[in-house]
Amino acid sequence: MLTIKQITENKEAVLERLAVKNFKNPALVDEIIELDSNRKKIQFQGDSLQAELNKIAKEIGGLMKSGKVQEAEQLKKRNTEIKEETAKLNQELAATEEKLNSLLVQLPNLPHASVPVGKSAEDNVVVRSGGEIPTLGEKAIPHWELAKKFDIIDFELGTKLTGAGFPVYKGKGAKLQRALINFFLEEATAAGYREFMPPLMVNEDSGFGTGQLPDKEGQMYHVTIDNFYLIPTAEVPVTNIFRDVIVSSSELPIKATAYTPCFRREAGSYGKDVRGLNRLHQFDKVEIVQVAHPSKSYEILEQMVAHVEGLVKKLGLPYRILRLCGGDMSFTSALTYDFEVFSSAQQRWLEVSSVSNFESFQANRLKLRFREEADKKTMLAHTLNGSALALPRIVAALLENNQTEKGIKLPEVLVPFAGFEYID
RNA sequence: GGAGAGAUGGGUGAGUGGCUGAAACCAACGGUUUGCUAAACCGUCGUACUCUGCAAAGGGUACCGGGGGUUCGAAUCCCCCUCUCUCCGCCA
C-alpha cells in the first residue's frame, strides 16, 4: 500500500497518478488525509496524558518508599482520573487507525510515468517483438488435439481425478514439463538468482504482504480448516521471505527464484479462452524475484525483462513485449511488462510472463526495509518479480508452432533436459 | 492427538511489581594503540509513531511471541491465543 507520507506530501500528484489507473475518488484521498491529521492530534493528546501518568506513578513509588502513604493515596486518585481519559483517547485512536488503514488498503499503487493511459488490454503498447511466426496454413492443429494425438496431456483424466483445469501430463508430456522447469531454473541460477523451494500454502499475513489479501481473496484456494491459502504464484511465499526484514543496502539487490505449482480458482472464466492449456487451475511456473534499492529498481526491471526475453528467444518462440496501460495493470504494480508468445494454430497471442516493479507498495505491507550504509537510515525497499516462465502456454505454443510431419520438434535447448528430440 | 517446558534486543542469556528500553557476554560498527595482523582499551550499537525546530538536535509515547485483564505503576501477576522444544502415540 501507499505510505501516508506519499499521500499527504504529494496529494495532487497522487491523484493525477491514480487517475491513470482509472481510480478516480478524490474524496477517499481527502478522507485519508483528514483521518491522518486526526490521528496525530489524538495520539499527541494521549501521549501527553500518558507521560503525566507515568510521572505520577513514579512519584507514588517514591512516596511509598519514604512512608508518605497519605500523599501517595492523593496522587493515586489523580491518576485514576487521567486513566479514564487516556482509555477514551486510546479507543478513539484505535478506531481512527483502523478506519485509516481500511481506506489506505483500497488505494492501488501509483503507476510509473511511462505507463500508457488506457482502459483495457487494447490500450497496451507493444514495446518490441521478435521471432518468426511460422506459416502452417489451414492444416495447423491446436495443441489440445496434438496433446491427445500424442497422448501427452490428458484433460479428461484430470477432470476425473479433480476437475476441469487440472490436466494430467503423461509420458513425454510429463518429461517436457520437467525439462522446462529445469531449463528455466538453470537459466535463473546462472543469472545469479538463488533457488528456493517454498511452501505451497501460505498464511494470511503472507497473503496480505504481497497484496493478494484482502482484495483478491476469491482468486485463491482457501484451506479453511487451517486458514491457509494455496499459492497463486511463487511470488507470494518468495517475496514474503523478506517480510519484517531490514537488510543492509550492501546486500541489495537480492535475487531469488523458485519453481512452484500455482493454484488459481479463476472464478468466472469461461469460453474459448480456457480451452486446453490456455487457462488452468493448477499450473507450473518458475518465478524470479528481486529486492532492490529504490534508485536501481527500474534498471533492474529492464534486466529482468531481458532475462525473460532471453528465455523465449532460446525456445525459438515468436514473442512480443507489451507495456501494460493503466487500466490493465494489477492493483499492486507500478510498471508491468507482459510477454506474449504466438500460438500459430489458435492464431493468437498467449500471455506467458508478467514482469513488474512494485516499487515500495509491497514493501510497505511487508515492512521490508533496508539500511543505507552511508547514513544508517532505514527506507522501504523496492520489490520486483516476473514469470520466467509459466509453462502451460509455452507448451501450447511449442506444440502448435513446432508440429511437423515427424511429430513435435523440441527446441535445441530443451533436448539435453528432455532426453528426446521429438514428441511422436 | 496426549503430557510437560519455554518464547526477552543481531546472537547467547540475566531479570518475579517501581531506580529496566531492558544487565552481562558475543557479534557488528567507529576510534586509540600497532611495521602488518591479532590482542587490548574507549565509544557507538533496536523499531515505530509523535511533538518542538529551517536544520542540526532534543523531548514524549509504545513495543520483552500476539491479544486482553489486575495495579497508582507490569518483561515480571492473571486469562486466552499462537509458535517452539522434549517425551508418548501416529506416520511419509
Side-chain angles (χ1 to χ4, degrees):
Chain A
M1 59 189 164
L2 301 177
T3 62
I4 294 179
K5 243 187 160 181
Q6 273 176 296
I7 297 165
T8 52
E9 285 176 6
N10 314 288
K11 183 187 154 190
E12 292 310 316
V14 166
L15 285 174
E16 187 193 310
R17 293 279 86 210
L18 286 176
V20 174
K21 270 206 171 170
N22 301 317
F23 184 94
K24 289 168 184 151
N25 190 351
L28 183 66
V29 173
D30 283 332
E31 202 181 344
I32 286 172
I33 293 172
E34 168 91 29
L35 278 168
D36 183 50
S37 118
N38 279 345
R39 186 195 111 251
K40 288 183 182 178
K41 277 183 211 146
I42 298 165
Q43 185 175 340
F44 181 63
Q45 281 177 43
D47 282 1
S48 305
L49 277 177
Q50 187 65 45
E52 197 184 338
L53 195 138
N54 288 347
K55 209 180 108 202
I56 293 174
K58 267 183 193 166
E59 282 174 32
I60 293 173
L63 290 170
M64 300 284 262
K65 258 188 194 155
S66 52
K68 297 176 182 165
V69 180
Q70 287 206 321
E71 285 176 52
E73 288 301 320
Q74 280 300 107
L75 287 178
K76 277 192 195 180
K77 270 183 214 159
R78 260 179 67 196
N79 251 11
T80 312
E81 283 167 27
I82 295 175
K83 244 174 71 174
E84 273 175 40
E85 230 173 306
T86 49
K88 221 192 298 173
L89 283 169
N90 282 338
Q91 237 173 12
E92 224 177 296
L93 183 66
T96 307
E97 278 177 342
E98 197 183 321
K99 177 80 182 159
L100 180 61
N101 235 321
S102 73
L103 296 186
L104 215 44
V105 168
Q106 289 175 36
L107 292 181
N109 199 2
L110 306 180
H112 184 256
S114 68
V115 169
V117 175
K119 282 186 181 151
S120 69
E122 283 164 28
D123 300 311
N124 295 338
V125 174
V126 177
V127 195
R128 59 177 179 273
S129 50
E132 266 183 49
I133 295 173
T135 42
L136 301 173
E138 291 300 309
K139 59 181 178 32
I141 305 172
H143 70 267
W144 50 88
E145 282 176 30
L146 293 166
K148 193 164 207 164
K149 178 176 165 194
F150 296 110
D151 193 28
I152 51 171
I153 306 169
D154 195 328
F155 295 97
E156 288 77 14
L157 183 55
T159 305
K160 170 184 160 186
L161 300 181
T162 306
F166 293 90
V168 176
Y169 301 87
K170 299 154 88 172
K172 284 185 172 176
K175 214 161 185 184
L176 176 60
Q177 293 290 113
R178 194 147 56 83
L180 281 164
I181 292 162
N182 280 336
F183 168 61
F184 293 148
L185 280 175
E186 287 303 321
E187 291 285 317
T189 49
Y193 292 87
R194 185 172 191 213
E195 188 175 341
F196 287 85
M197 228 192 219
L200 306 182
M201 289 193 263
V202 293
N203 59 28
E204 242 177 304
D205 286 346
S206 295
F208 177 82
T210 32
Q212 279 70 27
L213 295 175
D215 337 292
K216 294 177 194 157
E217 168 132 38
Q219 188 203 59
M220 292 187 287
Y221 288 98
H222 188 190
V223 182
T224 51
I225 192 167
D226 292 305
N227 199 24
F228 292 152
Y229 293 88
L230 267 70
I231 59 171
T233 158
E235 163 195 351
V236 180
V238 173
T239 311
N240 271 281
I241 290 171
F242 307 103
R243 171 151 51 84
D244 285 318
V245 164
I246 302 177
V247 299
S248 164
S249 59
S250 62
E251 295 170 55
L252 299 176
I254 299 169
K255 304 169 83 174
T257 186
Y259 151 72
T260 67
C262 302
F263 305 90
R264 298 186 183 180
R265 296 190 59 236
E266 303 289 1
S269 300
Y270 56 90
K272 67 176 163 57
D273 280 1
V274 307
R275 199 82 200 268
L277 293 168
N278 290 346
R279 175 165 272 121
L280 300 172
H281 288 306
Q282 178 183 328
F283 63 95
D284 298 288
K285 179 160 67 66
V286 172
E287 185 79 0
I288 52 176
V289 171
Q290 291 211 40
V291 178
H293 191 285
S295 66
K296 294 274 169 60
S297 67
Y298 279 96
E299 193 183 308
I300 283 171
L301 179 67
E302 295 307 319
Q303 288 169 17
M304 291 171 78
V305 167
H307 177 78
V308 175
E309 188 171 7
L311 298 179
V312 285
K313 272 186 177 166
K314 285 181 188 175
L315 291 173
L317 291 168
Y319 68 93
R320 62 180 191 184
I321 305 173
L322 308 171
R323 181 179 287 144
L324 296 194
C325 74
D328 201 30
M329 282 169 73
S330 77
F331 185 79
T332 48
S333 172
L335 179 59
T336 296
Y337 290 101
D338 268 10
F339 277 73
E340 295 181 338
V341 297
F342 196 78
S343 110
S344 47
Q346 297 184 75
Q347 288 285 307
R348 53 189 285 225
W349 292 96
L350 301 175
E351 182 192 333
V352 293
S353 175
S354 193
V355 187
S356 303
N357 186 354
F358 303 96
E359 296 193 6
S360 60
F361 193 84
Q362 288 182 333
N364 189 31
R365 290 172 161 231
L366 294 160
K367 296 199 174 40
L368 163 51
R369 290 159 291 174
F370 69 95
R371 197 185 308 280
E372 194 71 77
E373 289 268 292
D375 60 9
K376 305 286 175 199
K377 290 230 168 83
T378 59
M379 285 170 65
L380 292 173
H382 281 192
T383 58
L384 304 96
N385 70 48
S387 345
L389 284 162
L391 299 225
R393 294 173 188 161
I394 290 289
V395 171
L398 283 178
L399 293 181
E400 293 184 16
N401 295 2
N402 295 11
Q403 49 189 304
T404 70
E405 304 274 303
K406 289 166 67 180
I408 312 292
K409 188 175 191 320
L410 256 55
E412 294 270 319
V413 288
L414 287 183
V415 175
F417 291 97
F420 53 85
E421 271 179 78
Y422 282 90
I423 296 172
D424 44 23

